Amino acid sequence: MKTSQQKHPFLQRLVTFFLRSIIYIHYHYRAKDKYKIAKGESVVVLANHQTDIDPLLIYLSFNKTLYTVATDNIFRKGLVSSFLKRMGCIPKKKGVVDLKSNIEMMRVVSRGDSLLFFPEGNRSYAEFQYYITPAIGKYLKAFKSTIILFNIHGGTGVFPRFAKKKRKGPFYGQIKKVLKYEDYADIPNEELTQIIKDNLRVIDSESKQLYKSKASAEYLERLFFLCPVCMTPHKLVSKGHYLRCQNCGLEVEYKPDLTLASNHPHFTYTKLLPWYNLQKRWIKDLPIKDDEIIFTDGPVTLKNANPEEERKIIAKGQMSVTNHYLSFPNISFPIEDIMIASPVSGIKLCFTIKDKSYQVIGHKRFNPLKYVFLFNKLNTLMNQKQIDNYFQIQEDDK
């Protein structure tokens, strides 16, 4: 009798075969490099993370199944979860150390199969490299596998995290570096970690390539909630190539080369990252009054998001947050119980309380990022224990 493990290779390769043409025609993606995994060879592919379909893109460069580590909140009860597992996906809790997923990864390698995972753990937001654990060098040595460092280029231009529609421009994947076990076995762990970080860092705006769109700034307010000129929140609205502040009149163009431009004398940013970091500093310094509503949004939909469970609606309507509660029309959660929170895709906010996961699906201009920053400021469990290494507000991303 065939096991589910034996079914994974066939299904992943079959899906990849049928999607190859679609990915090529619809996204104009090119797999520049191919790597033939030899019989008996186990590889661990590490890649930067730019789009929701990154695993499918990377599969095109390899001849065998890559067991892929994926966030556990995409594993829904029923066909979705079953399909993902048969594709060889390994669920991992987002933002925290997950011993169960680590054990499963070790099992995959020990039986001679190969892995794919994204050390940053998050899709690119504002063109910076997310936190990568300093322990990754030591961790990878335990596998004794071939390490392949893979770069995806152009994903932040073709399908930025804040956008709804794709754009046209160069989009490709390539193998940046291959390290056989004998190449890195004697390298100090810290040095191996730095090699990984250096070879996975991709900043598309540095390429000067153009990404054409009829609405390049579409839903940029999913990333930016604060006007950098008048410092007023929640007044930015995107249309066409521009993001405008309804309070002071600031108009910023998001250009085809992924840079910013404005005629306003007090707007000095040319890249996304400095603006992103300004928002973090603003949240960090934001005065908080007891029981006063800090942020509010609506309409939103609140659902449970526990792995292997059917998604059910818990609440609909306005959400608000104070220094004590995250509230919805018929349910409230104590702020101090929030263990981890993260933005997912463009308009979704996921958070965990006492091992129960929830998902907020916002309106089309909803900005989940500001809530994650805020939870890293308030007296939440994630702030108390410094759990969040991705969206913490203690220091700027480099």
Side-chain angles (χ1 to χ4, degrees):
M1 181 178 177
K2 289 185 177 182
T3 66
S4 60
Q5 290 179 355
Q6 290 173 313
K7 292 177 182 178
H8 291 165
F10 172 75
L11 184 58
Q12 188 181 114
R13 302 315 300 169
L14 182 66
V15 170
T16 303
F17 174 80
F18 280 108
L19 289 181
R20 186 183 303 271
S21 296
I22 296 174
I23 290 172
Y24 178 86
I25 296 170
H26 186 66
Y27 291 99
H28 304 287
Y29 174 83
R30 305 292 186 273
K32 282 194 170 184
D33 298 320
K34 301 291 179 66
Y35 185 90
K36 187 174 182 180
I37 301 175
K39 185 177 181 180
E41 181 184 21
S42 173
V43 307
V44 178
V45 181
L46 284 72
N48 62 313
H49 197 5
Q50 292 191 338
T51 77
D52 286 338
I53 62 168
D54 284 350
L56 295 175
L57 306 179
I58 296 170
Y59 295 161
L60 298 177
S61 292
F62 294 89
N63 64 318
K64 292 186 178 181
T65 295
L66 300 177
Y67 289 78
T68 306
V69 180
T71 176
D72 66 354
N73 57 41
I74 67 172
F75 287 78
R76 304 178 186 177
K77 182 180 180 180
L79 292 177
V80 172
S81 183
S82 177
F83 175 77
L84 290 172
K85 288 182 178 180
R86 287 173 180 269
M87 280 284 288
C89 292
I90 301 170
K92 180 190 180 301
K93 293 180 180 178
K94 198 173 184 69
V96 297
V97 175
D98 188 338
L99 293 178
K100 186 176 180 180
S101 69
N102 287 345
I103 291 171
E104 182 59 29
M105 291 167 70
M106 188 61 74
R107 285 175 180 165
V108 168
V109 172
S110 65
R111 67 174 184 251
D113 287 318
S114 298
L115 285 169
L116 164 63
F117 70 97
F118 304 91
E120 294 174 79
N122 267 285
R123 274 186 63 184
S124 177
Y125 241 129
E127 292 205 294
F128 60 87
Q129 188 172 65
Y130 286 102
Y131 172 87
I132 295 178
T133 174
I136 194 169
K138 181 180 179 180
Y139 180 70
L140 287 171
K141 283 186 177 181
F143 292 145
K144 297 183 179 181
S145 301
T146 300
I147 297 174
I148 298 179
L149 302 178
F150 193 95
N151 288 172
I152 294 176
H153 293 267
T156 53
V158 170
F159 216 145
R161 186 167 177 173
F162 55 81
K164 186 177 180 180
K165 298 177 182 178
K166 65 183 181 67
R167 296 97 194 277
K168 294 181 180 180
F171 188 26
Y172 62 93
Q174 64 179 165
I175 294 171
K176 184 68 179 294
K177 198 173 189 67
V178 177
L179 294 169
K180 301 289 187 179
Y181 180 65
E182 57 268 25
D183 296 331
Y184 67 84
D186 296 326
I187 294 178
N189 296 335
E190 297 80 5
E191 185 178 336
L192 180 57
T193 295
Q194 194 58 51
I195 289 172
I196 292 166
K197 290 181 179 180
D198 291 344
N199 283 277
L200 292 186
R201 187 177 292 112
V202 176
I203 308 297
D204 283 334
S205 61
E206 294 178 352
S207 71
K208 308 300 181 183
Q209 298 287 345
L210 301 182
Y211 294 85
K212 298 179 181 179
S213 168
K214 294 181 179 179
S216 58
E218 175 195 46
Y219 299 137
L220 198 53
E221 60 268 51
R222 294 175 178 178
L223 171 61
F224 295 134
F225 59 88
L226 179 72
C227 174
V229 172
C230 67
M231 302 300 285
T232 303
H234 315 134
K235 292 294 182 180
L236 297 172
V237 177
S238 63
K239 186 175 181 181
H241 301 300
Y242 295 91
L243 186 65
R244 297 176 175 87
C245 176
Q246 295 176 320
N247 184 60
C248 71
L250 171 70
E251 187 173 84
V252 178
E253 180 185 5
Y254 188 51
K255 300 170 66 177
D257 63 358
L258 311 183
T259 63
L260 302 169
S262 175
N263 293 325
H264 198 290
H266 296 141
F267 184 86
T268 59
Y269 301 137
T270 58
K271 297 291 183 73
L272 302 177
L273 183 56
W275 194 343
Y276 173 94
N277 283 333
L278 172 71
Q279 297 184 139
K280 290 173 65 175
R281 292 192 296 270
W282 183 83
I283 291 284
K284 183 179 179 181
D285 298 334
L286 182 66
I288 304 295
K289 295 181 181 179
D290 193 40
D291 286 326
E292 183 178 66
I293 292 178
I294 306 167
F295 293 145
T296 184
D297 271 285
V300 304
T301 300
L302 175 69
K303 294 184 177 181
N304 70 301
N306 299 310
E308 310 297 343
E309 289 186 9
E310 183 181 350
R311 298 290 189 265
K312 294 182 179 180
I313 296 174
I314 299 172
K316 279 188 173 184
Q318 202 76 8
M319 70 177 287
S320 60
V321 60
T322 69
N323 61 325
H324 294 300
Y325 292 99
L326 173 62
S327 300
F328 299 85
N330 57 340
I331 188 171
S332 293
F333 302 95
I335 283 293
E336 62 186 15
D337 290 342
I338 297 178
M339 185 174 71
I340 191 68
S342 61
V344 177
S345 297
I347 57 171
K348 297 177 183 178
L349 170 68
C350 288
F351 62 96
T352 300
I353 292 181
K354 295 181 179 179
D355 295 326
K356 296 291 185 181
S357 295
Y358 303 89
Q359 185 181 83
V360 177
I361 303 173
H363 52 84
K364 65 181 182 180
R365 300 184 190 276
F366 178 66
N367 184 306
L369 187 63
K370 65 186 180 189
Y371 288 96
V372 182
F373 285 162
L374 185 63
F375 295 155
N376 274 314
K377 174 187 176 67
L378 299 176
N379 188 35
T380 59
L381 191 62
M382 63 190 282
N383 187 17
Q384 293 170 19
K385 296 189 176 183
Q386 294 293 293
I387 293 174
D388 184 8
N389 289 305
Y390 298 107
F391 299 102
Q392 49 79 30
I393 60 172
Q394 303 308 311
E395 57 185 52
D396 291 345
D397 298 282
K398 304 299 182 184

